[in-house]
C-alpha cells in the first residue's frame, strides 16, 4: 500500500507544495454525490464541483465501475497504437456535435494549445504563414501554458515569464465593434468562451456570437469556442454553442468531460483536420484508454434528456434562493450565467468580499467558488439533489450574513 503512518495536514501544504495555490484550511478526504468530508470528519455540501469538473458528483457508481473495469483491462498504450475507448469516445463526440475529427489531451490548457496551433497551422497551409493574428478577449481564461495564458485576457497571468507568443490582440468581450476594428485578412482565429467562467460568469450575447461567426467567414478566420468550462452539459445543453445555433470551427472541452478524471478534447471539422499529418502535433497520455473509457461513461450519462433537462430545473432553484437572499439583504447586483454555471455579482458596496464569503461558507460546511473579487460562482454537480441545494443555500445565507455583519 502507498499509505504509511506519516501524518499530513493542511500545514504540510506550506512545507511541500509550490506556493501557487492558497487552498482552504481543511483537507477533504472523501466524497459521495454532492457531499464531501474532511480529515476531521466535518461534512460539506459541494457547490464547487472541483471547479465545474465533477459534473456527476463524487464517486458516481457508473464512473467508479468503468474506472475499475478499464483499470483491470488496459490503462495506457501510447499513440503508437490506437485503442477501443478512444475510438468509441471520438465517434460519440462526433455524433453529438458539429465535429468530424477529435484530438484528445489531458487538460483544458492542452486542448486549447492544440486548438491555437491548429488554427495557426491551418492558416499557414491554406493561406499564408503571415495569417497568424489571434483575436481574444479581456478577462478570458484559456489555461496556463505560455501560449494559452497569452491568449487569455488577464496579463497578470502571463507577465514575468519572458517573451510572449506574438500576434495576439485582446478586445473587450461582447463588443463586436471592437472586434471589427482589429480583424483583418491576417487574422487566423477568434478565440472565445461562449460563457466566460473564470472571468466573471458572463454569457456572450446572441448578436456577439453571430457577429463573430460572420466576421470569421468574411476574413477566412476560424472561430474557436473554448468550452472547457461551459461544455459537457454545464449550460443545460451538451455544449453552450447550441444555445446560440452558431457552429464553431474548433471547440475545446475538458473539465466535466472525465467527471474528475483528467481528459480533454479538441473537436474540429474534417476539412480543417485534413491539414494535419502524423508528427505535426502529439501527446503521450492524450487519448489513453483509461481516461477515454471514463469520459465515454460520463458522456453517455450527461448526454441524456434527464440530465440535461434537470440542469435548468436546478438552476431555477439556485436563482430563486439567491433572489430571496438578495430581497432580504440587498447584496447582489446581478445573477447571471447559464445552466449550472451560476454567478452572483456583489453590489459595489460589498465589492471585494467574494473570498471572505468563500471562507465563511467553508466554516458553515459549504464549498463554493469565486470568479474574480466580486462574483460568487456555483458550479455544482449537474445531478445534485434538490435537498442538497436547499440545505447548501441555507448555509450560504448564514455565511453571507456573517460577512455582511463584520
Ligand atoms: C479551466 C479552464 C481552462 C484550463 O483548463 P486546465 O485543465 O486547468 O488546463 C481553459 N479554459 C477555460 C474556459 C477554463 O475554464
Amino acid at each position: 500500500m502507498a499509505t504509511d503512518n506519516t501524518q499530513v495536514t493542511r500545514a504540510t501544504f506550506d512545507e511541500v507544495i509550490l506556493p501557487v495555490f492558497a487552498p482552504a484550511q481543511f483537507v477533504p478526504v472523501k466524497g459521495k454525490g454532492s457531499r464531501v468530508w474532511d480529515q476531521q470528519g466535518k461534512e460539506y455540501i459541494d457547490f464547487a464541483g472541483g471547479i465545474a469538473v465533477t459534473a456527476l458528483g463524487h464517486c458516481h457508481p457508473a464512473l467508479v465501475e468503468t474506472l475499475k473495469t478499464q483499470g483491470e483491462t488496459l490503462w495506457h498504450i501510447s499513440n503508437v497504437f490506437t485503442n477501443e475507448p478512444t475510438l468509441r469516445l471520438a465517434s460519440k463526440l462526433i455524433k453529438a456535435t458539429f465535429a468530424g475529427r477529435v484530438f484528445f489531451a489531458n487538460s483544458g490548457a492542452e486542448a486549447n494549445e492544440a486548438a491555437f496551433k491548429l488554427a495557426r497551422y491551418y492558416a499557414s497551409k491554406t493561406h499564408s504563414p503571415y495569417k497568424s493574428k489571434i483575436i481574444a478577449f479581456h478577462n478570458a481564461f484559456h489555461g496556463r501554458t505560455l501560449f494559452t495564458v497569452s491568449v487569455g485576457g488577464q496579463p497578470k497571468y502571463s507577465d514575468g515569464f519572458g517573451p510572449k507568443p506574438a500576434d495576439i490582440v485582446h478586445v473587450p468581450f461582447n463588443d463586436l465593434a471592437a472586434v471589427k476594428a482589429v480583424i483583418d485578412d491576417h487574422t487566423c482565429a477568434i478565440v472565445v468562451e461562449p460563457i466566460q467562467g473564470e472571468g466573471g460568469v458572463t454569457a456572450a450575447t446572441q448578436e456577439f456570437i453571430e457577429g463573430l461567426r460572420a466576421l470569421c467567414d468574411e476574413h477566412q478566420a476560424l472561430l474557436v469556442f473554448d468550452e472547457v468550462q461551459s461544455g459537457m452539459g454545464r449550460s443545460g445543453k451538451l455544449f453552450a454553442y447550441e444555445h446560440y445555433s452558431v457552429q464553431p470551427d474548433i471547440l475545446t472541452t475538458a473539465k466535466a468531460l472525465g467527471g474528475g478524471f483528467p481528459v480533454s478534447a479538441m473537436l474540429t471539422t474534417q476539412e480543417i483536420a485534413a491539414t494535419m499529418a502524423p508528427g505535426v502535433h502529439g501527446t503521450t497520455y492524450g487519448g489513453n484508454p483509461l481516461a477515454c473509457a471514463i469520459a465515454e461513461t460520463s458522456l453517455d450519462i450527461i448526454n441524456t434528456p434527464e440530465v440535461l433537462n434537470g440542469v435548468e430545473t436546478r438552476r431555477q432553484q439556485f436563482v430563486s434562493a439567491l433572489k430571496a437572499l438578495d430581497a432580504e439583504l440587498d447584496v447582489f447586483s446581478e445573477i447571471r450565467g447559464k445552466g449550472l454555471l451560476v454567478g452572483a455579482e456583489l453590489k459595489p458596496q460589498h465589492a471585494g468580499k467574494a473570498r471572505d464569503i468563500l471562507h465563511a461558507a467553508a466554516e458553515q460546511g459549504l464549498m463554493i467558488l469565486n470568479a474574480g473579487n466580486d462574483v460568487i460562482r456555483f458550479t455544482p454537480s449537474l445531478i445534485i439533489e434538490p435537498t442538497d441545494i436547499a440545505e447548501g443555500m441555507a448555509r450560504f445565507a448564514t455565511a453571507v450574513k456573517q460577512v455582511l455583519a463584520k
Side-chain angles (χ1 to χ4, degrees):
M1 289 290 282
T3 48
D4 63 20
N5 293 327
T6 312
Q7 282 299 311
V8 289
T9 65
R10 174 58 181 79
T12 316
F13 178 93
D14 298 326
E15 293 158 17
V16 302
I17 303 291
L18 192 78
V20 295
F21 305 108
Q25 289 306 313
F26 62 95
V27 180
V29 294
K30 189 177 128 144
K32 184 78 198 141
S34 288
R35 305 263 167 165
V36 169
W37 292 267
D38 72 10
Q39 286 182 317
Q40 278 67 46
K42 179 175 167 182
E43 183 216 72
Y44 299 79
I45 293 173
D46 188 0
F47 282 177
I51 318 187
V53 168
T54 48
L56 297 173
H58 297 277
C59 299
H60 187 286
L63 294 181
V64 171
E65 178 59 36
T66 302
L67 178 74
K68 286 183 177 166
T69 313
Q70 190 63 40
E72 289 171 350
T73 308
L74 187 70
W75 293 18
H76 177 83
I77 199 74
S78 90
N79 286 301
V80 175
F81 314 94
T82 191
N83 66 78
E84 291 178 352
T86 208
L87 299 173
R88 284 199 307 265
L89 176 60
S91 304
K92 288 182 179 180
L93 285 169
I94 287 170
K95 190 155 176 267
T97 65
F98 74 98
R101 291 288 185 272
V102 182
F103 173 79
F104 291 115
N106 314 289
S107 66
E110 279 174 88
N112 283 331
E113 184 83 20
F116 306 161
K117 283 181 70 180
L118 174 60
R120 286 249 173 106
Y121 198 77
Y122 175 79
S124 85
K125 290 285 158 186
T126 56
H127 298 280
S128 134
Y130 303 104
K131 189 174 172 68
S132 57
K133 186 196 280 184
I134 292 175
I135 298 174
F137 298 95
H138 294 164
N139 292 320
F141 185 77
H142 300 300
R144 299 294 198 136
T145 66
L146 193 54
F147 198 175
T148 55
V149 275
S150 302
V151 176
Q154 299 193 58
K156 67 169 191 239
Y157 293 146
S158 56
D159 289 345
F161 299 102
K164 300 176 192 182
D167 215 7
I168 301 164
V169 181
H170 296 95
V171 293
F173 185 66
N174 271 336
D175 184 345
L176 201 57
V179 181
K180 270 189 196 145
V182 295
I183 197 166
D184 57 22
D185 288 344
H186 297 294
T187 303
C188 71
I190 298 177
V191 176
V192 66
E193 295 160 88
I195 310 165
Q196 281 196 342
E198 304 299 311
V201 191
T202 312
T205 64
Q206 181 69 29
E207 310 78 71
F208 185 60
I209 294 290
E210 279 176 13
L212 295 182
R213 179 70 272 173
L215 285 171
C216 281
D217 293 343
E218 195 180 320
H219 295 278
Q220 285 89 48
L222 300 183
L223 183 57
V224 181
F225 284 169
D226 178 347
E227 293 226 32
V228 168
Q229 186 155 168
S230 63
M232 290 304 291
R234 178 66 42 196
S235 74
K237 304 249 188 217
L238 185 62
F239 289 103
Y241 78 82
E242 298 167 43
H243 289 284
Y244 298 91
S245 302
V246 168
Q247 292 195 353
D249 301 296
I250 301 176
L251 177 145
T252 55
T253 177
K255 292 199 163 90
L257 180 60
F261 198 90
V263 55
S264 66
M266 178 195 69
L267 279 55
T268 190
T269 65
Q270 214 167 308
E271 188 245 325
I272 294 165
T275 52
M276 300 302 260
V280 175
H281 189 62
T283 161
T284 296
Y285 291 125
N288 71 79
L290 187 55
C292 289
I294 294 166
E296 183 190 6
T297 301
S298 167
L299 177 64
D300 284 345
I301 297 172
I302 289 173
N303 196 22
T304 55
E306 302 91 276
V307 171
L308 293 177
N309 295 339
V311 169
E312 191 52 38
T313 323
R314 287 167 174 79
R315 175 183 179 81
Q316 286 318 320
Q317 201 185 340
F318 272 95
V319 170
S320 44
L322 287 167
K323 282 189 174 155
L325 190 60
D326 186 49
E328 191 186 338
L329 302 175
D330 192 30
V331 61
F332 303 123
S333 56
E334 196 182 10
I335 294 156
R336 61 192 187 218
K338 277 193 200 299
L340 284 172
L341 182 46
V342 182
E345 184 170 29
L346 297 168
K347 284 226 154 118
Q349 62 266 36
H350 304 300
K353 288 193 183 144
R355 283 213 142 255
D356 296 341
I357 294 174
L358 249 62
H359 292 139
E363 287 285 307
Q364 294 304 317
L366 177 69
M367 299 159 91
I368 55 172
L369 300 170
N370 62 317
N373 298 326
D374 309 325
V375 179
I376 308 288
R377 178 171 41 148
F378 305 89
T379 54
S381 159
L382 306 183
I383 56 170
I384 185 171
E385 296 289 342
T387 48
D388 287 342
I389 302 179
E391 197 176 331
M393 286 312 294
R395 295 181 190 185
F396 180 67
T398 308
V400 173
K401 283 173 196 166
Q402 276 180 356
V403 170
L404 297 194
K406 271 185 195 153

